[in-house]
C-alpha cells in the first residue's frame, strides 16, 4: 500500500454535469474545515453623547460600521449594545432602536427593530437609564461593502439622551456608558 500526501489548490469547485442543485459531495469519511468559522470581525465604540426629540428615526452618532463579506455563503452576525439612554424631561417617554444596512451602490434595508422599550418612564428628574441590546443575522447578497448603522426615535417627542450616565445634557466622560457595534462574518 502506498500513501501519498498532496495538496489540491483550486479557486473554484463545480459539480459534474448538469447537477441542478449545484451540490458538490464528499466521499464518506472525508473531512472539511473552515465552515462556521469567523472570517473577520469589526468593532467600534460610540463615545458621543447625543440628545434628541425626533419621532422619526435618526442616526445614532458613532454607530456606523462597514464590512465587506468574503463569500456569499457567509452570514453577518450583528451585535449592538446601545447604552446610557435617559429621559431628560419629567415626562413619560419610550424609544425605539433599529439597525439598518446599506450595501455599496444599493438601497438601505432594515436588519433589526426593537420597538418602544421603556426609558425612565415617569421618574422624576429623568433618573433611570436604559440599555438596549440587539442581535441579528444578516445574509449578504453581494460581495460589496455593507454599512450597518443604528438609528433611534422617541415615541412622543420628549427629550432623550443616549451614551451618557445621567439625565443632564453634559457628557460626563465615563467610558462605562459607551455603546458598541460588532460585526462578524461567519463562513457558510
Amino acid at each position: 500500500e502506498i500513501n501519498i500526501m498532496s495538496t489540491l489548490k483550486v479557486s473554484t469547485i463545480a459539480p459534474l454535469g448538469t447537477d441542478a442543485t449545484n451540490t458538490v459531495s464528499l466521499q464518506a469519511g472525508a473531512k472539511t474545515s473552515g465552515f462556521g468559522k469567523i472570517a473577520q470581525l469589526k468593532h467600534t465604540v460610540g463615545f458621543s453623547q447625543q440628545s434628541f426629540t425626533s419621532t422619526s428615526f435618526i442616526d445614532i452618532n458613532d454607530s456606523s460600521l462597514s464590512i465587506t463579506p468574503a463569500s456569499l455563503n457567509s452570514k453577518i452576525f450583528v451585535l449592538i449594545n446601545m447604552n446610557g439612554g435617559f429621559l431628560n424631561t419629567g415626562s413619560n417617554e419610550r424609544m425605539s432602536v433599529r439597525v439598518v444596512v446599506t450595501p455599496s451602490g444599493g438601497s438601505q434595508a432594515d436588519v433589526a427593530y426593537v420597538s418602544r422599550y421603556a426609558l425612565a418612564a415617569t421618574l422624576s428628574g429623568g433618573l433611570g437609564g436604559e440599555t438596549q441590546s440587539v442581535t441579528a443575522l444578516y445574509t449578504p447578497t453581494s460581495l460589496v461593502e455593507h454599512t450597518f448603522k443604528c438609528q433611534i426615535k422617541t415615541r412622543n417627542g420628549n427629550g432623550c439622551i443616549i451614551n451618557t450616565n445621567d439625565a443632564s445634557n453634559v457628557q460626563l466622560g465615563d467610558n462605562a456608558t459607551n455603546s458598541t457595534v460588532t460585526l462578524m462574518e461567519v463562513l457558510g
Side-chain angles (χ1 to χ4, degrees), residues 21-135:
T21 64
N22 289 325
T23 301
V24 176
S25 300
L26 301 174
Q27 74 181 44
K31 295 181 180 178
T32 62
S33 64
F35 302 104
K37 293 186 178 179
I38 304 300
Q40 59 180 316
L41 184 139
K42 305 283 184 165
H43 180 76
T44 190
V45 178
F47 294 96
S48 299
Q49 179 244 345
Q50 182 175 355
S51 298
F52 60 97
T53 57
S54 177
T55 56
S56 298
F57 280 110
I58 61 170
D59 293 349
I60 298 175
N61 296 337
D62 302 332
S63 73
S64 179
L65 190 60
S66 297
I67 191 169
T68 302
S71 169
L72 286 179
N73 293 324
S74 297
K75 304 283 188 196
I76 306 298
F77 186 50
V78 181
L79 298 143
I80 308 291
N81 184 48
M82 288 293 109
N83 207 353
F86 283 85
L87 176 65
N88 64 350
T89 66
S91 302
N92 188 343
E93 186 58 273
R94 295 175 184 268
M95 296 190 305
S96 296
V97 173
R98 77 174 174 184
V99 179
V100 296
V101 63
T102 306
S104 180
S107 299
Q108 178 178 294
D110 289 349
V111 174
Y113 179 69
V114 179
S115 179
R116 293 172 34 169
Y117 66 92
L119 179 70
T122 66
L123 294 176
S124 64
L127 300 176
E130 286 287 332
T131 297
Q132 185 61 52
S133 296
V134 180
T135 58

Side-chain angles (χ1 to χ4, degrees), residues 1-30:
E1 181 176 322
I2 299 173
N3 289 327
I4 299 174
M5 299 296 290
S6 62
T7 301
L8 174 64
K9 294 183 178 182
V10 297
S11 59
T12 305
I13 297 176
L16 287 173
T18 59
D19 181 357
T21 64
N22 289 325
T23 301
V24 176
S25 300
L26 301 174
Q27 74 181 44

Side-chain angles (χ1 to χ4, degrees), residues 49-52 88 159-161 164 166-172:
Q49 179 244 345
Q50 182 175 355
S51 298
F52 60 97
N88 64 350
C160 295
I161 304 174
T164 192
D166 77 0
S168 72
N169 288 318
V170 179
Q171 178 65 36
L172 300 178

